[in-house]
Amino acid sequence: MGLNQISKIVILTGAGISAESGIQTFRDKGGLWEKYSLEEVATPQGFRKNPRFVHEFYNQRRRDLFKVKPNPAHYALARLEQEFPGEVLLVTQNVDDLHERAGSRNLLHMHGELLKVRCEACNVILKEEGEIFPETKCPKCGRQGTLRPHVVWFGEMPFYLDEIYKALKECDLFVAIGTSGTVYPAAGFVMIARECGAWCVELNLEPSTVADYFHEHHYGPASEVVPVWVDKILKRETN
Ligand code: OAD
Ligand code: ZN
């Protein structure tokens, strides 16, 4: 398939797109899962065992967010959404807010958001830019110790899956950016999109574990590769 006749694009992003903004990825050398135990800070069991430690981990990551800013890859995707004549859906595994700060609006945070917390008692979802402790009371129901980060932990179901699967089945172009292809269901999105007829493109620093499923690959830092790719799509589609 050529690149003409594209009307629907689905983009999946992962930690690699935020790496050059200064947010550590998970599985690269020196990544978060080398420094922290995934079982301790990213599972419901770890949270039940030591809520104070888990809150502190997310408090720190929330604080770190205010020291970073979007890079040219985030801005290029926002520009694609604004200028592409068809539909662009951005699905991100990232819990940072760099896509929205760059201007992306049609965006689904399938693994949740660092800047939100949720009450396990009354289910309210609240914006949170500061710190949470086991003593913190839920501003809605008033209970103590019921707030948790609004992020998806291992063993939990990602958000928006129905909407995402529908978009994957309907899209003409699927692009994965900065993701290692190790965490499902996101790693399997390429298989669904391809099966349903989409042209599939991987933009990453190096081949991901699912690289063979993509038709086209461009390897390099996201801040360079993504703007070039977006320019190419916009030139073809708007001329
Ligand atoms: P990973 O840390 O697994 O993978 C990051 C990918 O980005 C790797 O393939 C790198 O080669 C690539 N990369 C690194 N620097 C890059 C750069 N400057 N430009 C382009 N690519 C670069 O992160 P994810 O695939 O996002 O889930 O991880 C998926 C999920 O695993 C996360 O959402 C998180 C994690 O555990 C949950 O917490 C539920
Ligand atoms: Zn509550």
Side-chain angles (χ1 to χ4, degrees):
M1 175 185 149
L3 281 177
N4 27 12
Q5 305 135 11
I6 298 171
S7 69
K8 293 185 180 184
I9 304 178
V10 175
I11 301 167
L12 172 71
T13 63
I17 198 168
S18 296
E20 289 161 87
S21 291
I23 300 179
Q24 286 170 322
T25 62
F26 297 97
R27 295 175 184 79
D28 291 301
K29 207 168 176 303
L32 265 186
W33 295 155
E34 263 182 24
K35 297 190 186 118
Y36 288 88
S37 139
L38 183 160
E39 288 75 20
E40 280 176 19
V41 300
T43 63
Q45 295 81 353
F47 183 57
R48 270 198 297 277
K49 218 162 138 191
N50 196 346
R52 188 172 305 281
F53 181 71
V54 175
H55 276 309
E56 188 40 53
F57 173 76
Y58 290 94
N59 289 343
Q60 184 58 48
R61 295 186 69 199
R62 224 174 272 129
R63 282 194 288 273
D64 290 343
L65 265 193
F66 296 96
K67 302 177 197 151
V68 300
K69 51 185 198 311
N71 69 57
H74 298 102
Y75 287 112
L77 295 185
R79 190 163 73 86
L80 180 67
E81 181 187 322
Q82 279 145 23
E83 296 179 14
F84 182 70
E87 278 175 38
V88 178
L89 174 66
L90 183 52
V91 177
T92 188
Q93 300 168 85
N94 299 344
V95 293
D96 67 56
D97 64 339
L98 296 181
H99 282 307
E100 42 272 65
R101 276 200 251 161
S104 285
R105 291 295 168 260
N106 199 17
L107 167 67
L108 298 176
H109 276 280
M110 65 176 289
H111 289 166
E113 295 170 65
L114 262 184
L115 297 182
K116 286 184 182 166
V117 294
R118 170 169 97 235
C119 175
E120 289 190 308
C122 73
N123 288 323
V124 68
I125 299 169
L126 302 158
K127 280 203 156 39
E128 179 58 63
E129 296 196 341
E131 300 183 318
I132 297 289
F133 303 97
E135 295 75 30
T136 311
K137 282 186 177 158
C138 168
K140 177 137 185 264
C141 70
R143 289 190 183 85
Q144 197 175 46
T146 56
L147 295 178
R148 60 161 281 176
H150 189 51
V151 300
V152 175
W153 286 326
F154 287 89
E156 297 181 327
M157 188 72 106
F159 303 133
Y160 308 112
L161 283 183
D162 289 347
E163 214 173 313
I164 295 168
Y165 286 129
K166 183 168 180 289
L168 287 170
K169 286 176 186 153
E170 291 174 354
C171 73
D172 315 293
L173 176 60
F174 172 75
V175 189
I177 305 174
T179 178
S180 61
T182 43
V183 175
Y184 284 80
F189 288 173
V190 60
M191 298 155 204
I192 296 165
R194 186 174 176 139
E195 186 72 26
C196 297
W199 183 257
C200 299
V201 182
E202 174 166 273
L203 309 179
N204 204 32
L205 199 54
E206 59 194 14
S208 75
T209 348
V210 291
D212 287 351
Y213 290 94
F214 292 85
H215 300 96
E216 188 183 329
H217 314 82
H218 300 278
Y219 297 120
S223 69
E224 294 170 20
V225 170
V226 178
V228 169
W229 176 79
V230 165
D231 277 346
K232 192 176 83 180
I233 296 293
L234 286 176
K235 276 204 189 92
R236 294 181 84 126
E237 294 298 314
T238 51
N239 279 346

